[in-house]
Amino acid sequence: MIISMRLGATQKEIDHVCERLQEFGYKAHPIFGVERVVIGAVGSGENKEQAMESIEAAPGVDSVVAISHPFKFVSREGRAEKSVIRVNGHGIGGNEFIVFAGPCSVESESQLLETAEAVHKAGAHILRGGAFKPRTSPYDFQGLEEEGLKLLRKAKERTGLAVCTEVMSASEVDLVAEYADILQVGARNMQNFNLLKRLGKTQRPVMLKRGMSSTIKEFLLSAEYIVTSGNPNVFLCERGIRTFETYTRNTLDLSAVPVLEELTHLPIIVDPSHATGKRSLVPAMSRASVAAGADGLMVEVHPNPEKAFSDGPQSLRPADFAKLMQELRPYIDLWKVARTAAQRPALVRNA
Ligand code: PEP
Ligand code: MN
């Protein structure tokens, strides 16, 4: 269950609720938000109904909601309104379809600036690009690290696009957060729990990518780590999972989009580039992602894919990307109609 304390509830009232929860056999996890304190009660206490009634009657308590899922704070049961993460004037999870685009790796100033200008012109909202690269082989390009972050800053200054880039370890969170508007957790790090906990100590928006062998439950529990550690500004990215199929790099689990829409209030974007591994498949999977109701897309773009240091085969050329943005227009128009018709109440967060 989740207990929302009243605005201005005292520490004594909070402690009292935590003690009562323990008496009923629950573990209490208070989260001190900017406005109010919310307490997550985890475990299978014995008399759940009695416990809920008793806690509801305790001083300082506003409401008590039963949550059946193991992920409490990210669950829709606890909050019906979708979270909207505000970045550079855009709302991820709101009534605008957000497109992230850019190279897999930041390779050089000219490569990044050329790509940034092209994707900006084509209508992307956020520039992506890896400076710290999690590569399967130790012999592959590992990223320009801080020099890459500086180039991302330059590209932001040049285009006005907010920047999303990966952080691979807890010790690098402060450094990457100095340059990035959005901190990306890559698929390989989805269960790097120290990193997740450390990301809870910043308020910078975090894009959590689904681990390639992770279930939806594991995915949401990883998001729960960040939120319970103190950072509610989290959104999810479906990037394909590993199946027996080898024709595509991964299998895009598009059903994850409506499943996550049911289970969580966190926004969800789709990465058709890593999901398919093939440039030719990116447009169809992008259209399908819009139709499935995703909140946005992340697409890899490179000015010269044959010479890319990483993920060339799945990278669109700038002209392909501009064409894709044009093709997506009618789909996004319909998406907007559906969004507005749904009139989902949204909780807007200013990160
Ligand atoms: C990336 O976005 O460049 C990346 C490495 O993706 P993933 O973690 O999904 O493999
Ligand atoms: Mn990549």
Side-chain angles (χ1 to χ4, degrees):
M1 70 183 96
I2 285 198
I3 299 104
S4 292
M5 300 300 291
R6 290 210 181 103
L7 288 176
T10 64
Q11 187 60 48
K12 206 169 150 212
E13 289 169 337
I14 297 161
D15 291 344
H16 175 70
V17 169
C18 292
E19 278 159 27
R20 290 293 288 143
L21 285 170
Q22 274 153 21
E23 282 164 22
F24 279 108
Y26 293 93
K27 217 169 161 226
H29 289 271
I31 294 192
F32 295 82
V34 190
E35 283 185 350
R36 63 171 77 218
V37 175
V38 181
I39 304 169
V42 185
S44 45
E46 276 165 24
N47 297 312
K48 191 172 170 191
E49 265 158 36
Q50 202 194 331
M52 283 181 71
E53 271 183 25
S54 168
I55 301 284
E56 208 157 13
V61 171
D62 187 21
S63 65
V64 180
V65 183
I67 312 278
S68 55
H69 297 295
F71 37 87
K72 308 286 178 198
F73 287 98
V74 305
S75 162
R76 270 271 190 197
E77 290 174 309
R79 177 189 291 145
E81 325 84 64
K82 182 123 178 174
S83 289
V84 179
I85 319 282
R86 294 219 67 90
V87 179
N88 203 26
H90 301 293
I92 302 165
N95 289 338
E96 186 182 15
F97 188 82
I98 307 292
V99 179
F100 298 58
C104 178
S105 301
V106 177
E107 299 169 7
S108 68
E109 179 166 332
S110 59
Q111 172 252 12
L112 185 66
L113 294 184
E114 185 181 339
T115 314
E117 274 164 8
V119 300
H120 180 234
K121 194 163 156 230
H125 307 91
I126 291 167
L127 176 66
R128 65 141 288 142
F132 291 89
K133 292 302 300 175
R135 304 306 303 280
T136 302
S137 165
Y139 303 114
D140 288 340
F141 177 61
Q142 304 286 309
L144 295 181
E145 304 189 340
E146 190 166 5
E147 191 194 330
L149 297 175
K150 288 185 177 148
L151 293 176
L152 285 165
R153 175 178 282 166
K154 197 160 197 181
K156 180 181 177 176
E157 282 163 7
R158 190 69 72 89
T159 58
L161 290 174
V163 160
C164 172
T165 194
E166 178 156 356
V167 56
M168 283 168 56
S169 79
S171 62
E172 283 155 357
V173 169
D174 286 336
L175 172 70
V176 180
E178 252 182 66
Y179 297 90
D181 299 283
I182 299 170
L183 298 165
Q184 170 172 334
V185 178
R188 290 156 192 80
N189 263 325
M190 189 204 85
Q191 288 189 313
N192 178 342
F193 301 114
N194 283 336
L195 174 62
L196 302 179
K197 285 191 229 172
R198 180 63 185 75
L199 287 165
K201 302 297 168 219
T202 141
Q203 291 298 294
R204 196 55 51 88
V206 175
M207 180 180 76
L208 179 67
K209 295 190 92 174
R210 182 177 181 180
M212 59 188 84
S213 306
S214 296
T215 63
I216 300 257
K217 182 172 152 189
E218 287 161 345
F219 194 14
L220 288 174
L221 282 169
S222 286
E224 185 88 356
Y225 260 98
I226 306 171
V227 174
T228 51
S229 303
N231 185 358
N233 303 308
V234 179
F235 62 99
L236 307 168
C237 177
E238 163 61 43
R239 46 77 74 205
I241 49 175
R242 189 164 278 184
T243 66
F244 56 81
E245 180 57 70
T246 53
Y247 188 77
T248 46
R249 182 175 176 183
N250 291 287
T251 297
L252 177 57
D253 181 10
L254 255 192
S255 64
V257 174
V259 168
L260 289 164
E261 182 77 18
E262 276 179 19
L263 291 178
T264 179
H265 52 85
L266 301 181
I268 165 90
I269 70 153
V270 175
D271 170 351
S273 305
H274 292 89
T276 61
K278 288 192 164 94
R279 181 182 310 125
S280 64
L281 303 178
V282 170
M285 290 299 95
S286 299
R287 296 194 296 270
S289 303
V290 182
D295 295 294
L297 276 177
M298 170 173 272
V299 179
E300 283 188 342
V301 180
H302 195 286
N304 189 352
E306 292 102 284
K307 295 219 169 127
F309 293 180
S310 57
D311 289 351
Q314 69 197 33
S315 298
L316 299 188
R317 294 177 191 87
D320 306 328
F321 178 70
K323 185 161 169 254
L324 171 65
M325 290 298 278
Q326 286 300 321
E327 278 172 12
L328 285 179
R329 271 197 180 173
Y331 294 84
I332 294 175
D333 287 345
L334 275 176
W335 178 97
K336 278 193 185 138
V337 172
R339 268 290 147 116
T340 322
Q343 286 192 339
R344 297 177 315 172
L347 178 84
V348 178
R349 278 210 192 88
N350 284 302

